[in-house]
Amino acid sequence: MTTAQLISQIKQKKSFLCVGLDVDLDKIPAHLSNAEFPIFEFNKAIIDATHDLAVAYKPNTAFYEAQGLKGWQSLQKTIAYINENYPEIFTIADAKRGDIGNTSRMYAKAFLEDLNFDSVTVAPYMGKDSVEPFLAFEDKHTILLALTSNEGAFDFQTKDADGIELYKQVIETSKTWTNAQNLMYVVGATKAEYFAEIRKRLPDSFFLVPGIGAQGGSLAEVCKHGMNKNVGLLVASSRAIIYAGNDVDFAEKARVEALKVQQEMAQILLDR
Amino acid sequence: MTTAQLISQIKQKKSFLCVGLDVDLDKIPAHLSNAEFPIFEFNKAIIDATHDLAVAYKPNTAFYEAQGLKGWQSLQKTIAYINENYPEIFTIADAKRGDIGNTSRMYAKAFLEDLNFDSVTVAPYMGKDSVEPFLAFEDKHTILLALTSNEGAFDFQTKDADGIELYKQVIETSKTWTNAQNLMYVVGATKAEYFAEIRKRLPDSFFLVPGIGAQGGSLAEVCKHGMNKNVGLLVASSRAIIYAGNDVDFAEKARVEALKVQQEMAQILLDR
């Protein structure tokens, strides 16, 4: 998917919501447990109930790998279901991969080609040749970890690295990589005060923003400091939406929560 | 596996060789391509031919994920085969994972519990709460990326971070984490001149050392500066061993290459 198509979808839906499909088998409604692929059935219902309110879905690979073979199959089925039924949706493999060049190429093939996600999250620690194989895919996007939403973000990311904080060093260095136009960045909502400065460094880039909802970040604050003329934000919410209910009506409950966020987003888009 | 068991195996085999099972379907002998699980059959033959010369095997998850479902099954079959037939072998899931706490817990479960690897490689960028869930497993090991073997290592890892280079910052900070005794570190062989200083900071830790062979690092140099009283090194070689041959005798050819490395290691152990 091109960035222009993503922007057009955001305008049409008046939403920049990304629903995180971080699905724990222990937390889904009991009536699904007899299905052959409970996690896929769960995802399917959530996607069907929220696809007009969200512009992106983001399965985190950890939750699927923790279910072994069935989990990998559920991931395959989920991305295939979205691509077939809702091709306008932007899909993110939240995988946080990164390895030496010939190995990163394998990950890029797995997520961007075989599974056919629109994008994949990538960790920057191993530098240029660990990220460029992902960037080589046309009309696909590499979402680089810059400043994450967790407490451990302060262990290294905010350390002074040759004069600027490490996450800024990551941002500045990444701009020089081949096909840097395919980069987006993870910027955590729990650090809203950082957004203005990051936006200055990356006026045109999209930010994937985790940390709204269960992790405590504020949507209004993030938008105030982080938006650009094309919105430039994908705000992720997972647990607060997908686990809103825990009974046969779980998908309707999820829709109610997604609608609340979408309406807040529509208002923000109107007011700006 | 405890560290003591690993050390005992090293002394017995006079080897600290870790064979990397980074298996590309395009590079394995043609006669295997009709098997139901070609990559597993390849691995099985390599393992049978080298298990007395190597103390560790390290499948890199990227190569398995790039083969989809069959790849994941091949990974499951490979680790199950080693655990059943060669329980003395130290197994490493080279996965370079790392995410927020509740997500890292899922990865830890997948690799250390379900697949039952002895260890997993982890990226440090997201800090303490992204690594500690791996460290929580008793008699399992978390192998943290410190200084990697690729060119991109110089993008961020060697940047000055609050007074010391980032990889040193990672090392020093990681020592303070809960269950830090379960940490090992990735230190690339292509940077042998760094070993002496890293060893000073981590006198008792094991280092997983990639970069020997195809990537050009020198075994003698690494050992000279990196060894400790318990050897403290696992030196990884992948392509140079597993692709030594490309015909029906590929496993014998791999054994010849593994034997060369093991003999060099035995001599180094004798001379020190």
Side-chain angles (χ1 to χ4, degrees):
Chain A
M1 180 179 297
T2 65
T3 308
Q5 288 170 314
L6 173 60
I7 295 167
S8 148
Q9 196 199 164
I10 289 171
K11 288 180 180 164
Q12 202 185 319
K13 290 183 176 171
K14 298 177 176 54
S15 168
F16 42 100
L17 171 62
C18 168
V19 176
L21 298 172
D22 303 355
V23 186
D24 188 336
L25 205 53
D26 297 338
K27 287 188 185 162
I28 69 178
H31 73 280
L32 292 174
S33 61
N34 293 328
E36 196 187 349
F37 294 101
I39 291 182
F40 170 62
E41 294 303 330
F42 179 87
N43 286 349
K44 191 169 166 296
I46 295 281
I47 293 161
D48 286 340
T50 59
H51 70 92
D52 58 322
L53 305 172
V55 295
Y57 289 99
K58 179 177 76 65
N60 187 305
T61 53
F63 291 80
Y64 298 83
E65 295 189 355
Q67 300 301 329
L69 214 58
K70 278 247 167 165
W72 196 262
Q73 282 173 293
S74 298
L75 181 64
Q76 285 180 326
K77 285 171 163 288
T78 299
I79 179 66
Y81 185 79
I82 299 170
N83 283 341
E84 197 179 321
N85 295 282
Y86 308 109
E88 77 282 6
I89 292 276
F90 185 75
T91 53
I92 302 167
D94 195 359
K96 301 187 175 70
R97 297 301 197 262
D99 209 308
I100 62 171
N102 80 318
T103 306
S104 272
R105 257 190 296 283
M106 290 285 162
Y107 281 131
K109 176 185 177 297
F111 291 109
L112 300 178
E113 195 174 290
D114 298 345
L115 289 169
N116 200 15
F117 278 92
D118 291 311
S119 65
V120 57
T121 57
V122 170
Y125 192 71
M126 294 181 68
K128 174 179 165 134
D129 57 296
S130 73
V131 181
E132 284 189 343
F134 294 95
L135 293 171
F137 285 74
E138 208 177 336
D139 293 340
K140 300 282 183 174
H141 305 266
T142 303
I143 310 179
L144 193 65
L145 301 186
L147 187 61
T148 59
S149 59
N150 63 323
E151 205 191 311
F154 298 107
D155 281 338
F156 308 118
Q157 297 166 26
T158 53
K159 283 269 187 296
D160 183 283
D162 282 1
I164 52 173
E165 288 156 293
L166 177 60
Y167 75 91
K168 291 179 186 166
Q169 193 67 254
V170 166
I171 287 170
E172 293 303 329
T173 304
S174 71
K175 289 181 189 174
T176 68
W177 294 341
T178 306
N179 296 311
Q181 77 279 4
N182 294 334
L183 279 168
M184 298 181 172
Y185 297 85
V186 171
V187 186
T190 44
K191 299 165 182 64
E193 68 274 23
Y194 292 78
F195 268 81
E197 222 181 319
I198 297 174
R199 181 50 84 192
K200 253 186 249 165
R201 292 179 184 271
L202 295 164
D204 300 319
S205 300
F206 261 86
F207 301 157
L208 172 64
V209 186
I212 292 281
Q215 293 180 61
S218 150
L219 179 62
E221 279 298 300
V222 165
C223 292
K224 188 175 155 195
H225 301 294
M227 255 186 194
N228 69 7
K229 64 181 188 304
N230 291 317
V231 182
L233 299 174
L234 292 171
V235 172
S237 180
S238 181
R239 288 168 272 181
I241 290 176
I242 68 174
Y243 299 137
N246 189 31
D247 215 329
V248 286
D249 64 348
F250 72 97
E252 292 156 52
K253 291 271 175 66
R255 183 178 172 82
V256 170
E257 287 307 309
L259 188 61
K260 276 187 211 163
V261 181
Q262 184 273 326
Q263 285 176 338
E264 198 182 341
M265 288 175 169
Q267 191 59 50
I268 289 169
L269 292 173
L270 198 70
D271 292 346
R272 75 192 180 126
Chain B
M1 181 181 295
T2 65
T3 308
Q5 286 171 316
L6 173 60
I7 295 168
S8 147
Q9 196 201 166
I10 289 171
K11 287 181 180 163
Q12 201 185 319
K13 292 183 175 172
K14 297 178 177 51
S15 168
F16 42 99
L17 171 62
C18 168
V19 175
L21 298 172
D22 303 355
V23 186
D24 188 336
L25 205 52
D26 296 338
K27 286 187 186 162
I28 69 177
H31 74 281
L32 292 174
S33 60
N34 292 327
E36 197 188 348
F37 294 101
I39 291 182
F40 171 62
E41 294 303 330
F42 179 86
N43 286 347
K44 190 168 166 295
I46 295 279
I47 293 161
D48 285 340
T50 59
H51 70 92
D52 57 323
L53 305 172
V55 295
Y57 289 100
K58 178 176 78 65
N60 187 304
T61 53
F63 291 79
Y64 299 82
E65 294 187 357
Q67 300 301 328
L69 212 58
K70 279 247 168 166
W72 196 262
Q73 282 173 291
S74 298
L75 182 64
Q76 285 180 326
K77 283 170 164 290
T78 300
I79 178 65
Y81 185 78
I82 300 171
N83 283 340
E84 197 178 320
N85 295 281
Y86 308 109
E88 76 282 7
I89 293 277
F90 186 74
T91 53
I92 302 167
D94 195 0
K96 302 187 174 70
R97 300 299 198 262
D99 209 308
I100 62 171
N102 80 317
T103 306
S104 272
R105 256 188 296 284
M106 290 285 162
Y107 279 130
K109 174 186 178 297
F111 291 108
L112 300 178
E113 195 174 292
D114 298 347
L115 290 169
N116 200 16
F117 278 92
D118 291 311
S119 65
V120 58
T121 56
V122 170
Y125 192 72
M126 294 180 67
K128 173 179 164 133
D129 57 296
S130 72
V131 182
E132 285 190 340
F134 294 95
L135 292 172
F137 285 75
E138 207 177 340
D139 293 340
K140 299 281 183 177
H141 305 266
T142 303
I143 309 180
L144 194 65
L145 300 186
L147 187 62
T148 59
S149 59
N150 64 324
E151 207 189 309
F154 298 106
D155 282 339
F156 308 118
Q157 296 166 25
T158 54
K159 283 269 188 296
D160 182 283
D162 281 1
I164 51 173
E165 289 158 290
L166 177 60
Y167 75 91
K168 291 180 187 167
Q169 194 65 255
V170 166
I171 287 169
E172 293 303 328
T173 305
S174 71
K175 289 182 190 174
T176 67
W177 294 340
T178 306
N179 295 312
Q181 77 280 3
N182 294 334
L183 279 168
M184 296 180 174
Y185 297 85
V186 171
V187 186
T190 46
K191 298 168 184 64
E193 68 273 22
Y194 292 77
F195 269 80
E197 221 182 318
I198 297 174
R199 180 50 84 193
K200 255 187 248 162
R201 291 179 184 273
L202 294 164
D204 300 320
S205 300
F206 261 86
F207 302 159
L208 172 64
V209 185
I212 292 281
Q215 294 180 59
S218 151
L219 179 62
E221 278 299 300
V222 165
C223 291
K224 188 176 154 191
H225 301 295
M227 253 184 193
N228 69 7
K229 64 180 187 305
N230 291 317
V231 181
L233 299 174
L234 292 171
V235 172
S237 180
S238 181
R239 289 169 272 180
I241 290 176
I242 68 174
Y243 300 137
N246 190 29
D247 215 328
V248 286
D249 63 348
F250 72 97
E252 291 156 55
K253 291 271 176 64
R255 181 175 174 83
V256 170
E257 287 307 308
L259 188 61
K260 277 187 211 163
V261 181
Q262 185 272 326
Q263 285 175 340
E264 199 183 341
M265 288 175 168
Q267 191 59 51
I268 289 169
L269 292 174
L270 198 69
D271 292 346
R272 79 194 175 120

